[in-house]
Amino acid sequence: LDDARTPMLVSLASIAINYAVAASMTRSGLLGHAGLALATSVVALFGFVTLFLVLRRRIDGIHERRLAQSVIQILLASALMGVTVTVLSRVLQHELGTSRLARLADLALSIPAGTAVFYAVCRLLKVAELEMAVRSLAAPLAARLAGSRVRIGS
């Protein structure tokens, strides 16, 4: 599209929004440091929506219906992943307590469980982007493993 100016302007606006939201969240005392995470999320959404609308206006259609279907499916998978992680984390906290080792065990179990649920739900819903993501992750891993086997044997 030969336009480097628009993304730069959106980026500058994002920096200003990030500063304003982060400052207000941390100074208000309502969210403290969690406000920084919220500010980052707000900025990411702002940047995405703004650039998406600009792109949509400049090119005729970007498969909105298919994109909306994928977004809904991924949101559903994300929600189920969140529920899984939350429930598992609470069960583990109840059973193991809140010691450092217990929190480490919580992470070691909750993250893979959440990832597995997200993957399974996306597979079940036939999210098209999942295969593309798996291929893009698997190819470099396979190449690296194949390369390490050659070096070990020689």
Side-chain angles (χ1 to χ4, degrees):
L1 297 174
D2 292 327
D3 178 20
R5 187 170 186 244
T6 301
M8 182 199 62
L9 291 174
V10 171
S11 181
L12 289 174
S14 294
I15 291 169
I17 291 169
N18 191 23
Y19 177 77
V21 174
S24 67
M25 292 293 176
T26 54
R27 287 185 188 147
S28 70
L30 293 174
L31 295 175
H33 289 93
L36 295 176
L38 181 60
T40 302
S41 298
V42 167
V43 166
L45 283 172
F46 166 78
F48 166 74
V49 168
T50 304
L51 291 173
F52 179 82
L53 293 174
V54 167
L55 184 63
R56 184 174 156 213
R57 189 179 61 218
R58 290 189 183 173
I59 61 176
D60 281 336
I62 51 177
H63 308 285
E64 285 101 351
R65 186 168 291 173
R66 192 174 145 268
L67 185 60
Q69 179 185 359
S70 288
V71 167
I72 290 168
Q73 290 172 324
I74 292 168
L75 284 173
L76 177 61
S78 298
L80 291 173
M81 175 185 68
V83 168
T84 300
V85 169
T86 300
V87 168
L88 182 57
S89 187
R90 288 192 178 155
V91 167
L92 289 171
Q93 185 177 18
H94 181 270
E95 294 296 321
L96 303 176
T98 58
S99 69
R100 182 171 286 198
L101 186 59
R103 289 184 294 178
L104 187 60
D106 182 6
L107 284 174
L109 295 172
S110 295
I111 291 172
T115 303
V117 167
F118 181 81
Y119 180 80
V121 173
C122 284
R123 260 274 197 249
L124 218 141
L125 296 175
K126 296 181 171 101
V127 174
E129 292 79 7
L130 180 66
E131 285 306 315
M132 184 175 25
V134 167
R135 278 194 309 272
S136 67
L137 290 172
L141 285 173
R144 187 167 284 191
L145 288 173
S148 66
R149 285 188 198 132
V150 171
R151 278 188 234 125
I152 292 170
S154 42

